[in-house]
Amino acid sequence: MTYRVEQLNENHNLANFRCGNNGLDDWLHDHARTATGQGTRTYVLLADDGRVVGYFAVAPHTIDGDALSGRTGRGAPRHIPAILLAKLALADDLHGERLGSELLIVALDTTVEAARRAGGKLVVVDAIDDTAADFYLHHEFETVPGNPHRLVRKLSAVARALGQPWP
Ligand SMILES: CC(C)(COP(=O)(O)OP(=O)(O)OC[C@H]1O[C@@H](n2cnc3c(N)ncnc32)[C@H](O)[C@@H]1OP(=O)(O)O)[C@@H](O)C(=O)NCCC(=O)NCCS
């Protein structure tokens, strides 16, 4: 099976997507198209037959420098330009095959590309639960002090890991 990623459009059928988390399913079914009009960009992972088997959503963001740890926040302005990885989910019948990591790489690649053109220092995620937070910790994000579900990673480090130029 091969997979491809496309920016959400009116031809994608979202209704049957199930990832095991109702909030993430409902957001794709009911809010992703509206969110596009409000500034979020959603990308879907498609199987060969056109079935939507994953998605992620990104949006411009700022994060308060005071909320970061010393190492990440040192010397930072009060409002740090960032990219929010607002959602990421994979169809539940495909969990455990590392496709989630592949999707995360595409999502991070997208954030780096956006930040190289428009600016941004950090990628920020709000994990839906402890398990999701662990997934991001495993992928070299760090939690911000006082909020174990909010995690950040420097875009310069992401670019380096992906072999992309920066900035
Ligand atoms: C989280 C999710 C995207 C992971 O995708 P997946 O393809 O099932 O991930 P895999 O089990 O194949 O794991 C890929 C890698 O991440 C690691 N991983 C996966 N889940 C993890 C967790 N909860 N904690 C720590 N590491 C985790 C695996 O160990 C593996 O690492 P490796 O490549 O170094 O061996 C997927 O399970 C999902 O969509 N879950 C429901 C929605 C959700 O929780 N989204 C999170 C964003 S808020």
Side-chain angles (χ1 to χ4, degrees), residues 47-64:
D48 291 335
D49 60 2
R51 179 187 157 214
V52 172
V53 295
Y55 79 93
F56 64 89
V58 293
H61 195 66
T62 61
I63 185 164
D64 189 339

Side-chain angles (χ1 to χ4, degrees), residues 8-73:
L8 179 64
N9 67 45
E10 64 281 3
N11 297 321
H12 297 132
N13 181 355
L14 308 177
N16 297 321
F17 179 78
R18 302 278 178 277
C19 73
N21 177 283
N22 289 340
L24 288 169
D25 292 347
D26 292 347
W27 189 87
L28 185 65
H29 302 159
D30 301 333
H31 300 295
R33 294 191 199 283
T34 317
T36 301
Q38 293 168 346
T40 296
R41 295 291 173 264
T42 300
Y43 295 81
V44 291
L45 180 69
L46 299 164
D48 291 335
D49 60 2
R51 179 187 157 214
V52 172
V53 295
Y55 79 93
F56 64 89
V58 293
H61 195 66
T62 61
I63 185 164
D64 189 339
D66 294 342
L68 298 174
S69 68
R71 195 161 55 94
T72 306

Side-chain angles (χ1 to χ4, degrees), residues 17-21 24-25 53-55 85-92 94-104 125-139:
F17 179 78
R18 302 278 178 277
C19 73
N21 177 283
L24 288 169
D25 292 347
V53 295
Y55 79 93
L85 176 52
K87 313 277 174 196
L88 184 141
L90 184 71
D92 50 11
L94 295 174
H95 288 185
E97 298 173 26
R98 295 214 166 93
L99 211 47
S101 295
E102 299 285 327
L103 188 60
L104 179 62
V125 296
D126 286 314
I128 41 158
D129 54 26
D130 291 347
T131 306
D134 286 345
F135 174 74
Y136 290 113
L137 285 171
H138 180 81
H139 289 88

